[in-house]
Short mmCIF file of all heavy atoms in Angstrom, two decimals:
data_model
loop_
_atom_site.label_atom_id
_atom_site.label_comp_id
_atom_site.label_asym_id
_atom_site.label_seq_id
_atom_site.Cartn_x
_atom_site.Cartn_y
_atom_site.Cartn_z
N GLY A 46 -20.99 77.19 10.03
CA GLY A 46 -21.34 78.10 8.96
C GLY A 46 -21.02 77.61 7.57
O GLY A 46 -21.19 78.34 6.59
N LYS A 47 -20.58 76.36 7.45
CA LYS A 47 -20.22 75.83 6.13
C LYS A 47 -21.03 74.58 5.82
O LYS A 47 -21.63 73.98 6.70
CB LYS A 47 -18.72 75.52 6.09
CG LYS A 47 -17.83 76.74 6.23
CD LYS A 47 -16.38 76.37 6.00
CE LYS A 47 -15.49 77.60 6.05
NZ LYS A 47 -14.05 77.27 5.80
N GLN A 48 -21.00 74.21 4.57
CA GLN A 48 -21.71 73.01 4.16
C GLN A 48 -20.88 71.77 4.52
O GLN A 48 -19.66 71.82 4.65
CB GLN A 48 -21.96 73.04 2.65
CG GLN A 48 -22.94 74.10 2.21
CD GLN A 48 -23.24 74.04 0.72
OE1 GLN A 48 -22.45 73.53 -0.06
NE2 GLN A 48 -24.39 74.57 0.32
N ARG A 49 -21.59 70.67 4.69
CA ARG A 49 -20.91 69.41 4.94
C ARG A 49 -20.05 69.06 3.72
O ARG A 49 -20.48 69.25 2.58
CB ARG A 49 -21.94 68.32 5.21
CG ARG A 49 -21.37 67.00 5.68
CD ARG A 49 -22.47 66.00 5.95
NE ARG A 49 -23.20 66.32 7.16
CZ ARG A 49 -24.53 66.49 7.19
NH1 ARG A 49 -25.24 66.37 6.10
NH2 ARG A 49 -25.12 66.77 8.34
N GLU A 50 -18.85 68.53 3.97
CA GLU A 50 -17.96 68.18 2.88
C GLU A 50 -17.37 66.79 3.09
O GLU A 50 -17.22 66.31 4.21
CB GLU A 50 -16.82 69.20 2.77
CG GLU A 50 -15.90 69.24 3.97
CD GLU A 50 -14.69 70.14 3.78
OE1 GLU A 50 -14.53 70.73 2.71
OE2 GLU A 50 -13.89 70.24 4.74
N LEU A 51 -17.00 66.18 1.98
CA LEU A 51 -16.37 64.87 2.02
C LEU A 51 -14.93 65.01 2.47
O LEU A 51 -14.23 65.94 2.06
CB LEU A 51 -16.42 64.23 0.64
CG LEU A 51 -15.75 62.87 0.48
CD1 LEU A 51 -16.50 61.82 1.28
CD2 LEU A 51 -15.68 62.49 -1.00
N VAL A 52 -14.47 64.09 3.32
CA VAL A 52 -13.10 64.11 3.81
C VAL A 52 -12.32 62.92 3.26
O VAL A 52 -11.21 63.08 2.75
CB VAL A 52 -13.07 64.08 5.36
CG1 VAL A 52 -11.64 63.97 5.87
CG2 VAL A 52 -13.75 65.31 5.93
N ALA A 53 -12.87 61.73 3.39
CA ALA A 53 -12.15 60.52 2.97
C ALA A 53 -13.15 59.41 2.72
O ALA A 53 -14.25 59.41 3.28
CB ALA A 53 -11.15 60.10 4.04
N THR A 54 -12.75 58.46 1.88
CA THR A 54 -13.57 57.27 1.63
C THR A 54 -12.70 56.04 1.70
O THR A 54 -11.47 56.11 1.52
CB THR A 54 -14.25 57.30 0.24
OG1 THR A 54 -13.25 57.13 -0.77
CG2 THR A 54 -15.00 58.60 0.01
N ILE A 55 -13.33 54.92 1.93
CA ILE A 55 -12.61 53.65 1.87
C ILE A 55 -13.53 52.62 1.25
O ILE A 55 -14.66 52.40 1.70
CB ILE A 55 -12.06 53.21 3.25
CG1 ILE A 55 -11.17 51.98 3.09
CG2 ILE A 55 -13.19 52.98 4.25
CD1 ILE A 55 -10.28 51.73 4.29
N ALA A 56 -13.06 52.00 0.20
CA ALA A 56 -13.84 50.99 -0.52
C ALA A 56 -13.87 49.68 0.26
O ALA A 56 -13.12 49.48 1.22
CB ALA A 56 -13.21 50.77 -1.89
N THR A 57 -14.77 48.80 -0.15
CA THR A 57 -14.89 47.52 0.55
C THR A 57 -13.59 46.73 0.52
O THR A 57 -13.31 45.98 1.46
CB THR A 57 -16.02 46.68 -0.07
OG1 THR A 57 -15.77 46.53 -1.47
CG2 THR A 57 -17.38 47.33 0.14
N TRP A 58 -12.83 46.89 -0.56
CA TRP A 58 -11.55 46.18 -0.64
C TRP A 58 -10.39 46.97 -0.05
O TRP A 58 -9.24 46.54 -0.13
CB TRP A 58 -11.26 45.80 -2.10
CG TRP A 58 -11.13 46.96 -3.02
CD1 TRP A 58 -9.99 47.61 -3.37
CD2 TRP A 58 -12.18 47.60 -3.75
NE1 TRP A 58 -10.28 48.62 -4.24
CE2 TRP A 58 -11.61 48.65 -4.50
CE3 TRP A 58 -13.57 47.39 -3.83
CZ2 TRP A 58 -12.37 49.48 -5.33
CZ3 TRP A 58 -14.31 48.22 -4.65
CH2 TRP A 58 -13.72 49.25 -5.37
N GLY A 59 -10.68 48.13 0.53
CA GLY A 59 -9.69 48.84 1.31
C GLY A 59 -9.02 50.03 0.66
O GLY A 59 -8.19 50.68 1.29
N ARG A 60 -9.35 50.35 -0.59
CA ARG A 60 -8.70 51.49 -1.24
C ARG A 60 -9.22 52.80 -0.66
O ARG A 60 -10.40 53.06 -0.67
CB ARG A 60 -8.94 51.47 -2.73
CG ARG A 60 -8.22 52.58 -3.49
CD ARG A 60 -8.54 52.50 -4.97
NE ARG A 60 -9.91 52.82 -5.27
CZ ARG A 60 -10.37 54.03 -5.59
NH1 ARG A 60 -9.52 55.06 -5.62
NH2 ARG A 60 -11.65 54.23 -5.86
N PRO A 61 -8.31 53.64 -0.18
CA PRO A 61 -8.73 54.92 0.40
C PRO A 61 -8.62 56.08 -0.59
O PRO A 61 -7.81 56.03 -1.52
CB PRO A 61 -7.72 55.11 1.54
CG PRO A 61 -6.46 54.52 0.99
CD PRO A 61 -6.88 53.39 0.08
N THR A 62 -9.43 57.09 -0.36
CA THR A 62 -9.26 58.36 -1.07
C THR A 62 -9.38 59.48 -0.04
O THR A 62 -10.03 59.31 0.99
CB THR A 62 -10.32 58.56 -2.16
OG1 THR A 62 -11.61 58.73 -1.54
CG2 THR A 62 -10.37 57.41 -3.14
N TYR A 63 -8.75 60.61 -0.36
CA TYR A 63 -8.73 61.74 0.57
C TYR A 63 -8.89 63.04 -0.20
O TYR A 63 -8.42 63.17 -1.33
CB TYR A 63 -7.40 61.80 1.34
CG TYR A 63 -7.07 60.55 2.10
CD1 TYR A 63 -6.27 59.56 1.54
CD2 TYR A 63 -7.54 60.34 3.39
CE1 TYR A 63 -5.96 58.40 2.23
CE2 TYR A 63 -7.24 59.20 4.10
CZ TYR A 63 -6.45 58.23 3.50
OH TYR A 63 -6.15 57.09 4.21
N VAL A 64 -9.51 64.01 0.44
CA VAL A 64 -9.49 65.34 -0.14
C VAL A 64 -8.10 65.92 0.06
O VAL A 64 -7.37 65.51 0.98
CB VAL A 64 -10.55 66.26 0.49
CG1 VAL A 64 -11.94 65.74 0.19
CG2 VAL A 64 -10.34 66.40 1.99
N ASP A 65 -7.73 66.85 -0.79
CA ASP A 65 -6.36 67.37 -0.77
C ASP A 65 -5.97 67.96 0.58
O ASP A 65 -4.82 67.83 1.01
CB ASP A 65 -6.19 68.43 -1.86
CG ASP A 65 -6.15 67.81 -3.26
OD1 ASP A 65 -5.99 66.58 -3.36
OD2 ASP A 65 -6.27 68.57 -4.23
N SER A 66 -6.92 68.58 1.25
CA SER A 66 -6.59 69.30 2.49
C SER A 66 -6.17 68.38 3.63
O SER A 66 -5.59 68.85 4.61
CB SER A 66 -7.79 70.15 2.93
OG SER A 66 -8.92 69.34 3.16
N VAL A 67 -6.45 67.08 3.52
CA VAL A 67 -6.10 66.15 4.61
C VAL A 67 -5.08 65.10 4.17
O VAL A 67 -4.64 64.30 5.01
CB VAL A 67 -7.34 65.46 5.20
CG1 VAL A 67 -8.39 66.49 5.60
CG2 VAL A 67 -7.94 64.44 4.25
N LYS A 68 -4.70 65.10 2.92
CA LYS A 68 -3.74 64.10 2.43
C LYS A 68 -2.44 64.22 3.22
O LYS A 68 -1.92 65.31 3.44
CB LYS A 68 -3.48 64.30 0.94
CG LYS A 68 -4.57 63.77 0.05
CD LYS A 68 -4.24 63.97 -1.42
CE LYS A 68 -5.32 63.43 -2.32
NZ LYS A 68 -5.04 63.67 -3.76
N GLY A 69 -1.93 63.06 3.63
CA GLY A 69 -0.70 63.03 4.39
C GLY A 69 -0.89 63.23 5.88
O GLY A 69 0.05 63.04 6.66
N ARG A 70 -2.09 63.62 6.28
CA ARG A 70 -2.35 63.84 7.72
C ARG A 70 -3.41 62.88 8.27
O ARG A 70 -3.35 62.50 9.43
CB ARG A 70 -2.81 65.28 7.95
CG ARG A 70 -1.82 66.33 7.53
CD ARG A 70 -2.24 67.73 7.98
NE ARG A 70 -3.50 68.13 7.40
CZ ARG A 70 -4.59 68.45 8.11
NH1 ARG A 70 -4.56 68.39 9.44
NH2 ARG A 70 -5.71 68.83 7.51
N PHE A 71 -4.38 62.52 7.43
CA PHE A 71 -5.47 61.64 7.86
C PHE A 71 -5.30 60.26 7.21
O PHE A 71 -4.87 60.16 6.07
CB PHE A 71 -6.82 62.21 7.44
CG PHE A 71 -7.26 63.44 8.19
CD1 PHE A 71 -6.39 64.16 9.00
CD2 PHE A 71 -8.57 63.89 8.08
CE1 PHE A 71 -6.80 65.30 9.68
CE2 PHE A 71 -9.00 65.01 8.75
CZ PHE A 71 -8.11 65.72 9.54
N THR A 72 -5.69 59.23 7.95
CA THR A 72 -5.68 57.88 7.42
C THR A 72 -7.00 57.20 7.76
O THR A 72 -7.38 57.14 8.93
CB THR A 72 -4.53 57.06 8.02
OG1 THR A 72 -3.28 57.70 7.72
CG2 THR A 72 -4.52 55.65 7.44
N ILE A 73 -7.67 56.71 6.74
CA ILE A 73 -8.93 55.99 6.93
C ILE A 73 -8.65 54.50 6.85
O ILE A 73 -7.84 54.05 6.05
CB ILE A 73 -9.97 56.44 5.88
CG1 ILE A 73 -11.36 55.91 6.22
CG2 ILE A 73 -9.55 56.07 4.47
CD1 ILE A 73 -12.47 56.51 5.36
N SER A 74 -9.35 53.73 7.68
CA SER A 74 -9.11 52.29 7.71
C SER A 74 -10.39 51.55 8.10
O SER A 74 -11.28 52.12 8.72
CB SER A 74 -7.99 51.96 8.70
OG SER A 74 -8.34 52.35 10.01
N ARG A 75 -10.44 50.29 7.74
CA ARG A 75 -11.59 49.44 8.06
C ARG A 75 -11.14 48.33 9.01
O ARG A 75 -10.05 47.78 8.85
CB ARG A 75 -12.15 48.77 6.80
CG ARG A 75 -12.61 49.71 5.73
CD ARG A 75 -12.99 48.98 4.47
NE ARG A 75 -14.25 48.26 4.60
CZ ARG A 75 -15.41 48.67 4.12
NH1 ARG A 75 -15.49 49.83 3.50
NH2 ARG A 75 -16.49 47.94 4.26
N ASP A 76 -11.99 48.00 9.98
CA ASP A 76 -11.76 46.88 10.88
C ASP A 76 -12.90 45.90 10.70
O ASP A 76 -14.01 46.11 11.21
CB ASP A 76 -11.69 47.38 12.33
CG ASP A 76 -11.28 46.29 13.30
OD1 ASP A 76 -11.61 45.11 13.05
OD2 ASP A 76 -10.64 46.62 14.32
N SER A 77 -12.63 44.83 9.98
CA SER A 77 -13.68 43.85 9.67
C SER A 77 -14.20 43.12 10.90
O SER A 77 -15.33 42.67 10.92
CB SER A 77 -13.16 42.85 8.65
OG SER A 77 -12.79 43.51 7.46
N ALA A 78 -13.38 42.97 11.90
CA ALA A 78 -13.80 42.26 13.10
C ALA A 78 -14.83 43.07 13.89
O ALA A 78 -15.69 42.50 14.57
CB ALA A 78 -12.60 41.95 13.97
N LYS A 79 -14.75 44.39 13.79
CA LYS A 79 -15.63 45.25 14.57
C LYS A 79 -16.68 45.97 13.72
O LYS A 79 -17.54 46.66 14.27
CB LYS A 79 -14.80 46.31 15.32
CG LYS A 79 -13.77 45.75 16.28
CD LYS A 79 -12.98 46.88 16.92
CE LYS A 79 -11.90 46.35 17.85
NZ LYS A 79 -11.09 47.47 18.44
N ASN A 80 -16.61 45.82 12.41
CA ASN A 80 -17.49 46.58 11.50
C ASN A 80 -17.36 48.08 11.74
O ASN A 80 -18.36 48.82 11.80
CB ASN A 80 -18.95 46.16 11.66
CG ASN A 80 -19.22 44.75 11.18
OD1 ASN A 80 -18.48 44.21 10.37
ND2 ASN A 80 -20.26 44.14 11.71
N THR A 81 -16.14 48.52 11.88
CA THR A 81 -15.90 49.94 12.10
C THR A 81 -14.98 50.51 11.02
O THR A 81 -14.16 49.78 10.44
CB THR A 81 -15.27 50.22 13.48
OG1 THR A 81 -14.02 49.53 13.57
CG2 THR A 81 -16.19 49.78 14.60
N VAL A 82 -15.12 51.80 10.80
CA VAL A 82 -14.24 52.54 9.91
C VAL A 82 -13.64 53.68 10.73
O VAL A 82 -14.39 54.53 11.23
CB VAL A 82 -14.99 53.08 8.69
CG1 VAL A 82 -14.07 53.98 7.86
CG2 VAL A 82 -15.52 51.94 7.84
N ASP A 83 -12.35 53.66 10.87
CA ASP A 83 -11.68 54.65 11.69
C ASP A 83 -11.05 55.75 10.84
O ASP A 83 -10.68 55.51 9.68
CB ASP A 83 -10.59 54.01 12.54
CG ASP A 83 -11.16 53.13 13.64
OD1 ASP A 83 -12.39 53.18 13.85
OD2 ASP A 83 -10.37 52.42 14.28
N LEU A 84 -10.91 56.91 11.44
CA LEU A 84 -10.22 58.02 10.79
C LEU A 84 -9.15 58.51 11.77
O LEU A 84 -9.48 59.13 12.79
CB LEU A 84 -11.17 59.15 10.44
CG LEU A 84 -10.58 60.30 9.62
CD1 LEU A 84 -10.21 59.81 8.21
CD2 LEU A 84 -11.54 61.48 9.54
N GLN A 85 -7.91 58.17 11.47
CA GLN A 85 -6.79 58.63 12.27
C GLN A 85 -6.37 60.00 11.74
O GLN A 85 -5.99 60.13 10.58
CB GLN A 85 -5.63 57.65 12.18
CG GLN A 85 -4.38 58.10 12.91
CD GLN A 85 -4.57 58.14 14.42
OE1 GLN A 85 -5.14 57.21 15.00
NE2 GLN A 85 -4.12 59.21 15.06
N MET A 86 -6.43 60.99 12.62
CA MET A 86 -6.13 62.36 12.22
C MET A 86 -4.88 62.83 12.96
O MET A 86 -4.85 62.80 14.19
CB MET A 86 -7.31 63.27 12.55
CG MET A 86 -8.63 62.79 11.95
SD MET A 86 -9.98 63.95 12.21
CE MET A 86 -10.09 63.92 14.00
N SER A 87 -3.89 63.24 12.21
CA SER A 87 -2.63 63.71 12.79
C SER A 87 -2.37 65.14 12.34
O SER A 87 -2.95 65.61 11.36
CB SER A 87 -1.49 62.80 12.35
OG SER A 87 -1.73 61.45 12.71
N ASP A 88 -1.46 65.80 13.06
CA ASP A 88 -1.09 67.17 12.73
C ASP A 88 -2.35 68.02 12.50
O ASP A 88 -2.47 68.72 11.49
CB ASP A 88 -0.20 67.20 11.49
CG ASP A 88 0.40 68.56 11.22
OD1 ASP A 88 0.50 69.37 12.17
OD2 ASP A 88 0.74 68.83 10.05
#
Side-chain angles (χ1 to χ4, degrees):
K47 296 187 177 181
Q48 292 184 337
R49 188 179 287 125
E50 64 173 359
L51 177 67
V52 175
T54 70
I55 187 163
T57 55
W58 62 92
R60 184 181 68 92
T62 67
Y63 303 94
V64 295
D65 287 346
S66 60
V67 307
K68 282 181 180 178
R70 300 189 299 120
F71 289 13
T72 301
I73 190 170
S74 61
R75 301 174 73 102
D76 187 329
S77 300
K79 300 178 182 178
N80 292 337
T81 59
V82 174
D83 290 350
L84 187 68
Q85 176 67 44
M86 305 186 296
S87 302
D88 189 23

